[in-house]
Amino acid sequence: MKTSFIFVLLLFILSSCVSVYFKDPQPKDGVLLHEIPPELCGKWMEKGGLLVEKDGISFIEFEKDTLNNTVDTIYQKAYLSDSVQLYKAKDIYVLNTRKQGQHWEILALSIQNNGDINVYQITEPQLFAKDKNLHLEEARFMIDERDTIVQTLRLKYEGTQKLKSATFSGQMKVKTLQNAMKQKDQLLLILKKDGSFGEPGKGK
């Protein structure tokens, strides 16, 4: 696994094809947690790493010299706060992070029977559009290389188009999230019980 992939993920600056935003933290009937529970806490390392403690998440980076010797260890911690919120809904944990002081992005976490933690990033807006508790506020397309905002996910246009982001208002049902997490292409990363990182499709 490339180190850059890990840190892009952990800092939530994800280079996915489509970004999905919400005006409110998710999901409906989720319980806001003020501490990260023990089952999600741990340390994962691979040329850099992630430390999850009850009050927040630390991103660890090793600064190297020209001989590849570690000369400094840099910790950047994101505390649970007004802009980083963790909810529990049934057996799912949902990490909400506020972007640019307005909209929220989510990562869903599920603890597996073997102790691994699966991390999901749902990047298919149609999976949310089916939920009647959610309303599509806007969809941002690149149409013939022009940034265009519309109120639909399906454009009747024969030219070049690419969906860049979708923003929803309301709060989704837990069932919507559960169904989305069943889609294999929505599994982003595995935090393995042994302290290493795993990628989808790379075996157990």
Side-chain angles (χ1 to χ4, degrees):
M1 177 185 292
K2 295 180 180 179
T3 305
S4 59
F5 171 82
I6 295 173
F7 281 99
V8 165
L9 164 71
L10 298 179
L11 295 174
F12 310 117
I13 309 173
L14 302 172
S15 57
S16 60
C17 294
V18 182
S19 297
V20 181
Y21 303 108
F22 300 92
K23 288 197 168 183
D24 302 292
Q26 303 298 321
K28 180 179 174 64
D29 298 327
V31 177
L32 176 63
L33 303 181
H34 299 288
E35 290 185 349
I36 298 176
E39 55 265 33
L40 293 181
C41 292
K43 188 175 185 178
W44 293 268
M45 300 295 295
E46 189 173 332
K47 298 182 181 180
L50 170 69
L51 174 64
V52 180
E53 301 171 289
K54 67 179 182 179
D55 62 341
I57 303 169
S58 295
F59 311 107
I60 306 168
E61 183 175 5
F62 299 116
E63 190 173 285
K64 305 283 187 176
D65 62 16
T66 55
L67 298 177
N68 203 36
N69 297 312
T70 299
V71 295
D72 196 11
T73 302
I74 302 170
Y75 287 81
Q76 297 183 34
K77 188 161 187 175
Y79 291 93
L80 292 184
S81 63
D82 290 341
S83 58
V84 180
Q85 297 185 357
L86 181 66
Y87 284 78
K88 185 174 184 182
K90 295 186 177 180
D91 59 346
I92 301 172
Y93 293 94
V94 185
L95 185 66
N96 290 259
T97 58
R98 193 194 298 270
K99 294 297 181 181
Q100 299 176 349
Q102 297 181 2
H103 300 147
W104 298 84
E105 287 186 273
I106 67 171
L107 291 177
L109 299 93
S110 175
I111 300 174
Q112 306 303 294
N113 291 334
N114 64 358
D116 291 351
I117 301 172
N118 284 0
V119 181
Y120 300 83
Q121 183 200 20
I122 315 301
T123 58
E124 176 47 69
Q126 292 290 353
L127 296 174
F128 297 120
K130 299 175 182 179
D131 191 325
K132 295 181 179 179
N133 287 325
L134 293 174
H135 173 72
L136 178 67
E137 292 288 331
E138 66 175 42
R140 186 179 296 272
F141 283 83
M142 287 298 292
I143 301 177
D144 292 337
E145 299 184 357
R146 288 177 298 148
D147 194 16
T148 306
I149 296 176
V150 295
Q151 277 71 48
T152 180
L153 293 173
R154 299 186 184 278
L155 287 182
K156 295 181 179 180
Y157 180 69
E158 295 182 357
T160 303
Q161 59 174 280
K162 182 178 181 180
L163 179 61
K164 299 297 293 182
S165 68
T167 301
F168 293 90
S169 59
Q171 290 181 305
M172 74 183 77
K173 296 178 181 178
V174 177
K175 187 67 174 178
T176 297
L177 197 54
Q178 290 173 327
N179 289 337
M181 292 166 67
K182 293 177 182 178
Q183 307 296 318
K184 292 183 179 180
D185 58 347
Q186 305 302 304
L187 176 59
L188 184 64
L189 181 71
I190 301 170
L191 303 177
K192 300 181 71 65
K193 187 178 180 180
D194 64 6
S196 65
F197 295 94
E199 288 183 270
K202 297 296 183 180
K204 297 182 180 180

